[in-house]
Amino acid sequence: MTNSLSENPAHDIHDIIDVQTTDCCIVGGGPAGAVLALLLARQGIPVMLLEAHKDFDRDFRGDTIHPSVMEIMAELGLSDRLLALPHSKIRQLRIQTAEDSAILADFSHLKTNYPYITMLPQVKFLEFITQETQKYPNFQLIMGANVQELIITDGVVAGVRYRGGGGWHEIRSKLTVGADGRHSKLRQLGGFESVETSPSMDVLWFRLPRHPEDAEGGMGRIGKGHILVMLDRGEEWQVAYVIPKGGYQQLRTAGLEELKKSVVEVVPELGNRISNLHDWSQVAFLSVESSRVKRWYRPGLLLIGDAAHVMSPVGGVGINYAIQDAVVAANAIAKPLKNQNLQLKDLAKVQNQRELPTRIIQAFQTIIQKQIFTRILTSDQTFQPPAFLRLPILRDFPARLIGLGLFPVHVQI
Ligand SMILES: Cc1cc2nc3c(=O)[nH]c(=O)nc-3n(C[C@H](O)[C@H](O)[C@H](O)COP(=O)(O)OP(=O)(O)OC[C@H]3O[C@@H](n4cnc5c(N)ncnc54)[C@H](O)[C@@H]3O)c2cc1C
């Protein structure tokens, strides 16, 4: 019987330990999947959330919660408790060269109750959201569930198979949501076609101690041919060292001492703590990508978050876009799921609402990468911050775009 449900079982069907059913099976416990699970669970919809890892703790996954997401948390009555968790706030992003400095984005002018970026370790955010969701008896979280196959019946996705707990398991669901991130397995299994752009940079991430006398907030520091972005995480700086695409091997060959030297050249104040960086294992490499799928859905399956659109780190908006996708998806599918009449047009609504904002932010990121990042990385001239950043009328635009986005998203269920 199990075999007849699948067009392509890749293993012996007798290996399956158990079969469960649900209304919505969400694959991936990142920001998109966790928030969608919460929104659907609150509506009394049976939801299962499958996460491949055994915990939420991964390094350098992006710890920024923008005002748009805090507004969503407030709509859910969660903002005060979220802000009670240890966090820091970034009110301005500054760009600084050896001779000059300018404010790239000033969130303090935004019309919101949360005019700042909340720096909260993503692991804490995900634990908070999933603990909240576990209050609903119709919700089930399965950690260590690595989804490897789709169950497809007559061309309709009818669930997934995952490996975990020593064997294969099957979940049958009315709707499967792929929220499984930039290397999405469901995107691949579902045969979704992507439109790629090729960002001209990669990023190395590492942490250094932050001293009480250091400046607060986030800043971009620019030297000849080098860019460093420093994010205030209370007692630490989370540092992004931007390199030209494909330059990582050359850097590794040159050695860690060369990297450290270059960091101190751009930010001399870090000279008294750079020795904390003593091994390449402290440095995480991010291959920057930017893409989006042409169609975000097929019968029985919807993609959201990075699974639908891989974001460049410029502006640090990936988490926020993922969560906004989750809210729009919940608005579109909750009622039809409850009424047992979910149709393809309900899934299409999600792409209709989210594709334009995604295209706009990706276009903005491409411009910043080409006009600012690539110029700096390929030039030995000192970079001057663009004059428009000093025009008050344009001053608020980057903060608005990064912090709130052009199309506000609200919880409507
Ligand atoms: C180094 C780095 C730094 C970043 N910094 C920032 C930042 O400062 N601000 C920002 O907004 N964004 C940042 N981003 C981007 C941001 O992390 C992503 O855009 C965001 O996490 C996307 O959320 P998501 O829920 O769509 O996917 P993810 O957060 O990637 O979550 C996907 C989840 O799916 C799980 N999964 C994957 N495959 C399977 C499977 N087969 N079965 C079950 N589960 C699976 C994964 O384990 C993961 O938990 C950064 C990304 C990286 C890599």
Side-chain angles (χ1 to χ4, degrees):
M1 183 185 152
T2 313
N3 200 15
S4 66
L5 281 173
S6 172
E7 288 177 0
N8 55 350
H11 57 91
D12 183 344
I13 52 151
H14 301 295
D15 290 346
I16 289 176
I17 297 171
D18 56 31
V19 179
Q20 296 192 66
T21 57
T22 187
D23 281 6
C24 185
C25 172
I26 302 170
V27 179
V35 171
L36 178 61
L38 170 63
L39 291 164
L40 297 181
R42 282 163 52 104
Q43 295 297 308
I45 295 166
V47 187
M48 291 180 84
L49 178 61
L50 309 182
E51 167 53 45
H53 288 86
K54 292 202 166 113
D55 58 40
F56 292 114
D57 196 5
R58 263 135 285 155
D59 228 1
F60 300 117
R61 279 191 49 185
D63 299 333
T64 55
I65 299 184
H66 291 209
S68 53
V69 170
M70 285 311 301
E71 297 275 3
I72 289 167
M73 292 296 124
E75 288 171 10
L76 296 172
L78 298 176
S79 52
D80 290 347
R81 280 173 40 220
L82 192 62
L83 288 175
L85 299 175
H87 69 277
S88 55
K89 294 184 174 74
I90 294 181
R91 295 175 197 276
Q92 287 183 340
L93 293 177
R94 278 168 290 125
I95 186 170
Q96 191 174 330
T97 65
E99 293 102 34
D100 202 357
S101 84
I103 293 171
L104 194 58
D106 186 347
F107 303 102
S108 60
H109 296 285
L110 292 179
K111 290 195 179 73
T112 165
N113 289 330
Y114 311 97
Y116 43 78
I117 290 182
T118 307
M119 291 297 293
L120 177 72
Q122 199 183 119
V123 55
K124 298 290 171 207
F125 176 75
L126 294 175
E127 284 171 359
F128 174 83
I129 295 291
T130 49
Q131 277 163 17
E132 190 64 27
T133 315
Q134 273 165 326
K135 292 177 183 164
Y136 299 91
N138 46 310
F139 170 66
Q140 196 182 341
L141 170 64
I142 307 182
M143 302 298 287
N146 194 337
V147 173
Q148 309 250 306
E149 293 181 5
L150 289 176
I151 302 168
I152 302 175
T153 311
D154 299 330
V156 178
V157 175
V160 298
R161 294 198 185 89
Y162 70 89
R163 279 181 82 89
W168 285 92
H169 309 255
E170 200 166 281
I171 312 275
R172 312 260 177 83
S173 55
K174 297 193 175 88
L175 176 66
T176 300
V177 178
D180 52 339
R182 61 205 304 254
H183 304 296
S184 173
K185 183 80 179 169
L186 269 66
R187 184 174 63 217
Q188 177 216 325
L189 292 171
F192 291 91
E193 200 185 334
S194 285
V195 186
E196 311 273 343
T197 64
S198 20
S200 47
M201 58 185 220
D202 289 325
V203 180
L204 302 182
W205 293 91
F206 52 89
R207 296 199 173 100
L208 287 173
R210 188 172 159 270
H211 293 171
E213 65 277 13
D214 289 349
E216 290 183 344
M219 67 179 115
R221 296 287 291 259
I222 296 172
K224 288 180 187 162
H226 296 293
I227 307 168
L228 238 89
V229 179
M230 297 168 61
L231 299 173
D232 177 352
R233 292 177 50 130
E235 291 177 357
E236 290 176 328
W237 286 111
Q238 182 171 324
V239 184
Y241 180 83
V242 185
I243 58 173
K245 190 104 198 139
Y248 180 56
Q249 270 319 319
Q250 200 183 336
L251 204 64
R252 284 291 300 242
T253 310
L256 192 61
E257 289 310 312
E258 280 303 308
L259 170 66
K260 289 159 73 170
K261 204 171 114 196
S262 158
V263 169
V264 175
E265 263 169 28
V266 186
V267 190
E269 309 92 278
L270 294 179
N272 58 6
R273 63 201 94 163
I274 195 71
S275 58
N276 284 270
L277 201 60
H278 46 77
D279 194 281
W280 279 108
S281 64
Q282 295 168 277
V283 181
F285 170 67
L286 170 68
S287 170
V288 173
E289 290 169 30
S290 174
S291 66
R292 60 182 176 273
V293 288
K294 285 189 175 166
R295 199 166 184 236
W296 295 28
Y297 58 92
R298 57 173 277 182
L301 177 62
L302 172 69
L303 300 183
I304 61 170
D306 271 19
H309 46 70
V310 180
M311 290 293 194
S312 148
V314 171
V317 292
I319 296 167
N320 305 281
Y321 269 66
I323 291 173
Q324 289 181 333
D325 285 359
V327 173
V328 169
N331 289 342
I333 64 177
K335 204 166 161 200
L337 266 180
K338 265 205 242 176
N339 296 341
Q340 312 284 340
N341 64 354
L342 185 75
Q343 296 174 34
L344 207 55
K345 68 176 169 50
D346 300 311
L347 306 185
K349 272 187 200 165
V350 182
Q351 177 169 2
N352 289 346
Q353 286 183 48
R354 296 300 296 154
E355 185 172 355
L356 183 61
T358 304
R359 279 174 175 255
I360 289 175
I361 196 74
Q362 287 187 331
F364 172 75
Q365 290 174 321
T366 302
I367 290 170
I368 298 285
Q369 276 170 209
K370 286 193 176 150
Q371 297 300 321
I372 299 187
F373 283 62
T374 308
R375 276 195 193 177
I376 296 167
L377 293 174
T378 54
S379 160
D380 58 1
Q381 302 294 309
T382 304
F383 176 79
Q384 291 304 322
F388 74 81
L389 290 175
R390 298 181 206 283
L391 294 176
I393 195 162
L394 290 180
R395 181 195 60 191
D396 293 341
F397 180 71
R400 156 105 213 164
L401 187 65
I402 294 169
L404 291 173
L406 295 178
F407 305 89
V409 164
H410 298 286
V411 181
Q412 289 165 353
I413 49 171

